[in-house]
Amino acid sequence: MATFDYIIIGAGSAGSVLAERLSASGRFSVLVLEAGGSDRRFMIRMPAGYGHSFYNPKVNWCFWTGPQAALAGRQSYWPRGKVLGGSSSINAMVWVRGQHSDFDDWQAHGNPGWGWDDVLPHFRAIETWEGGEDAWRGGSGGVKVGEMGASVHPLSHDWLAAAKSAGFSETPDYNGATQEGVSIYQISAARGLRSSAATAFLHPAMRRANLRVETGALVNRLTISEGRVTGVEYARDGQVMTATARAEVILSAGAVLSPVILQRSGLGPGALLQSRDVGVIRDLPAIGANLQDHLGIDYLFRSKVPTLNTQLRPWLGRAMLGLRYLLLRDGPLAISVNQAGGFVRSRPGLDRVDQQLYFSPVSYSKPTPGRRRLTLPDPFPGFFIGIQPCRPQSRGRISLASTDPNAPPVIEPDYLSAPGDMEQMLDGVRLIRRIAERPEIARYIEAEMQPGPDIRDEEALIADIRARAGSVFHACGTCRMGPDDGTNAVDSKLRLYGIEGLRVVDASAFPNVTSGNINAPVIMLADRAAAMILADR
């Protein structure tokens, strides 16, 4: 048994930041427990390599939801990082803070100190923006955030022109003063290399004598004595081990696994725990509840002009691009395939942005189950235009399946269950076509292949959404931050209700899903949480 000041469960997007911040002074000893292994892999560091991580169980938990009634009974695949850096090591790298109103809503939910003005300094502190530091953007943080404008496929600029022709403004920096509008996306990569939470925060901190990182450490449960979390029981190299914490245990296992670890430790909905033969220490119904995710859908178009398919499909083309990447660290393999998009209002009368758009100059009309080879697209030129409603209201639940820490959890997102969520999806797909019909991009479209031009009336559009829509992998809210009224799990300092010595610091604490990709908000939340922990100490 070893003792540390702080124990952090999970070396992902949040845990990596916490490890760096809490160990920086040298005053506190910190143990980080990570179930996965090293992120020192070529396909992780190369931006376009994330397709190889998508179904790779060596770096990915590879979760599946239960069958979803609203999706014609289909299950939805949920990749989650099982590696140093967590999902920041395997995601598509699109760097999005969200709308200012998202965080004002966090504060309005009963969380003082989480409004936009409060979180902006932490967004600035975590990044080094290639465009230069200013009042909105950071210039000395760990995550290197790059521009793709000069590197994207020419069709990305044509799509932008079409979006502007459809009535949407172009924003020079959607992570700056004006979030609304269309633009080329920014990514957490620079000079041809992914900038994950591990490379930005954890690896530099691992040189410190007061920080210990254990990989291959699968947490079984929290140890609890007299109403206080005292440590962690985990398995590593075939042995069951226990570590104790003098100050706090910080749970940063992500929106899927953090509530499951709590439930396995006797903290959660009492009836659920009893049904799984877990002794109830605290009956906390909010643990595992309030699950939110973004649901999205793509429309596939066959192109009259070359797209990335033309470069990536032939073996010689792949070889040349690979050689270019190795020699120069540039080209299509050095950036994301999600190249353009934006945050817009799909129709007049809305008081906030309601849709996120994606444009990808590559297509995969017949994906192979269990594989996602970004370097093996369709044999014809094609591209995707996709949408996701920014603030869906549907909420689901994540539950413990058994006391076996190796057993996957029960994930029930309950997609499209809230009134209005299907209407937002319909607004989104109509928006795809509205832009696609503008001459700036329409001149390059040979045909709409999926769902096809005959899918027009509302009934057909809804059937297509149910048949093809899927997760955009932004799970959050399962240990929601808010007032102690029985519907929230942690307070505004991320301390779990009903128990001492424990905080939950990851996407599970989000009061509501933010408008866009959530990796940047998770890293921000961890930076703010670290400041709170140190201030309390």
Side-chain angles (χ1 to χ4, degrees):
M1 182 181 295
T3 301
F4 300 82
D5 291 305
Y6 296 102
I7 300 175
I8 301 167
I9 300 173
S13 301
S16 294
V17 178
L18 290 164
E20 194 284 325
R21 299 302 198 236
L22 297 183
S23 66
S25 70
R27 294 172 54 205
F28 308 119
S29 58
V30 180
L31 171 67
V32 181
L33 301 174
E34 168 56 44
S38 172
D39 63 323
R40 297 188 186 279
R41 294 170 172 263
F42 178 77
M43 287 300 180
I44 285 179
R45 297 308 310 279
M46 182 178 73
Y50 73 89
H52 290 258
S53 301
F54 197 73
Y55 289 105
N56 184 356
K58 293 181 180 178
V59 297
N60 192 329
W61 287 99
C62 302
F63 293 125
W64 287 88
T65 72
Q68 296 298 292
L71 302 183
R74 293 181 296 119
Q75 294 177 279
S76 187
Y77 177 62
W78 280 23
R80 295 283 88 190
K82 186 182 181 182
V83 63
L84 294 180
S87 293
S88 74
S89 290
I90 69 168
N91 67 4
M93 298 160 292
V94 177
W95 187 255
V96 176
R97 292 175 172 181
Q99 302 292 302
H100 294 181
S101 58
D102 294 331
F103 304 99
D104 290 336
D105 287 347
W106 285 18
Q107 181 160 270
H109 184 67
N111 297 299
W114 288 97
W116 171 251
D117 291 340
D118 302 298
V119 303
L120 174 58
H122 298 278
F123 274 121
R124 295 183 70 245
I126 61 176
E127 70 173 12
T128 294
W129 165 229
E130 189 177 41
E133 184 175 9
D134 60 22
W136 301 97
R137 304 305 302 268
S140 58
V143 180
K144 307 298 188 292
V145 182
E147 298 184 275
M148 294 195 293
S151 303
V152 299
H153 192 279
L155 276 176
S156 298
H157 292 288
D158 293 313
W159 180 85
L160 275 183
K164 290 191 286 184
S165 175
F168 301 109
S169 61
E170 183 173 4
T171 178
D173 180 4
Y174 63 84
N175 284 316
T178 304
Q179 305 87 59
E180 185 171 355
V182 294
S183 62
I184 301 298
Y185 274 129
Q186 301 166 18
I187 59 172
S188 51
R191 300 183 183 89
L193 295 173
R194 173 188 293 271
S195 184
S196 69
T199 60
F201 301 101
L202 187 62
H203 286 304
M206 286 173 69
R207 305 186 189 102
R208 299 170 185 159
N210 61 319
L211 174 63
R212 178 175 173 180
V213 178
E214 294 192 7
T215 55
L218 183 64
V219 169
N220 179 23
R221 64 183 181 90
L222 306 173
T223 58
I224 301 171
S225 176
E226 298 180 351
R228 182 177 182 84
V229 173
T230 58
V232 181
E233 180 186 284
Y234 63 101
R236 187 170 189 253
D237 297 331
Q239 293 185 318
V240 176
M241 310 175 77
T242 301
T244 59
R246 297 185 190 93
E248 296 184 33
V249 172
I250 305 163
L251 184 51
S252 299
V256 174
L257 290 178
S258 282
V260 172
I261 290 172
L262 291 171
Q263 291 169 4
R264 202 158 54 234
S265 304
L267 306 170
L272 169 69
L273 303 188
Q274 290 171 350
S275 71
R276 302 294 191 265
D277 295 323
V278 176
V280 180
I281 294 176
R282 291 286 187 275
D283 182 3
L284 301 172
I287 293 176
N290 301 305
L291 170 64
Q292 285 197 286
D293 185 27
H294 285 131
L295 189 70
I297 192 168
D298 295 320
Y299 275 35
L300 168 62
F301 298 87
R302 185 164 183 146
S303 174
K304 296 178 181 178
V305 297
T307 64
L308 287 181
N309 296 13
T310 316
Q311 297 174 274
L312 290 170
R313 181 73 188 195
W315 71 266
L316 182 59
R318 292 198 300 276
M320 294 299 292
L321 290 177
L323 183 61
R324 175 181 175 180
Y325 177 78
L326 290 172
L327 293 176
L328 303 174
R329 288 287 188 268
D330 69 1
L333 303 186
I335 58 175
S336 176
V337 297
N338 296 320
Q339 296 189 355
F343 303 88
V344 301
R345 307 181 205 206
S346 61
R347 52 187 170 82
L350 296 176
D351 61 359
R352 68 164 72 196
V353 161
D354 71 314
Q355 301 287 337
Q356 181 175 2
L357 291 159
Y358 296 91
F359 177 82
S360 302
V362 66
S363 68
Y364 309 87
S365 59
K366 295 180 180 180
T368 304
R371 299 184 70 190
R372 195 185 199 193
R373 288 284 303 278
L374 297 184
T375 53
L376 198 63
D378 288 323
F380 54 83
F383 58 82
F384 282 123
I385 305 175
I387 58 94
Q388 68 179 41
C390 290
R391 293 286 298 274
Q393 295 303 304
S394 298
R395 295 184 185 267
R397 172 173 288 280
I398 289 180
S399 304
L400 178 73
S402 80
T403 55
D404 180 0
N406 291 291
V410 178
I411 304 174
E412 296 295 345
D414 212 7
Y415 290 122
L416 302 175
S417 59
D421 278 7
M422 178 60 83
E423 190 61 40
Q424 288 189 40
M425 292 292 293
L426 288 168
D427 288 341
V429 298
R430 290 171 179 138
L431 178 59
I432 290 175
R433 284 179 168 159
R434 175 179 158 191
I435 296 174
E437 290 166 359
R438 303 305 302 169
E440 293 83 356
I441 194 69
R443 67 169 68 103
Y444 302 118
I445 295 175
E446 182 176 310
E448 180 188 302
M449 299 185 66
Q450 291 178 358
D454 296 335
I455 306 300
R456 286 282 168 182
D457 63 64
E458 184 170 300
E459 183 178 355
L461 291 173
I462 289 175
D464 178 61
I465 290 167
R466 296 194 189 283
R468 295 196 304 115
S471 173
V472 194
F473 323 126
H474 299 159
C476 62
T478 49
C479 296
R480 187 172 65 178
M481 174 169 52
D484 187 10
D485 60 5
T487 67
N488 304 294
V490 300
D491 67 12
S492 60
K493 289 190 175 183
L494 304 170
R495 298 171 299 199
L496 190 76
Y497 288 121
I499 207 84
E500 294 182 358
L502 179 69
R503 299 191 205 224
V504 182
V505 181
D506 56 30
S508 64
F510 282 22
N512 53 259
V513 68
T514 51
S515 299
N517 310 67
I518 68 169
N519 194 237
V522 169
I523 294 174
M524 174 280 295
L525 179 139
D527 189 73
R528 180 147 180 73
M532 291 177 169
I533 292 167
L534 292 172
D536 285 350
R537 186 63 187 264

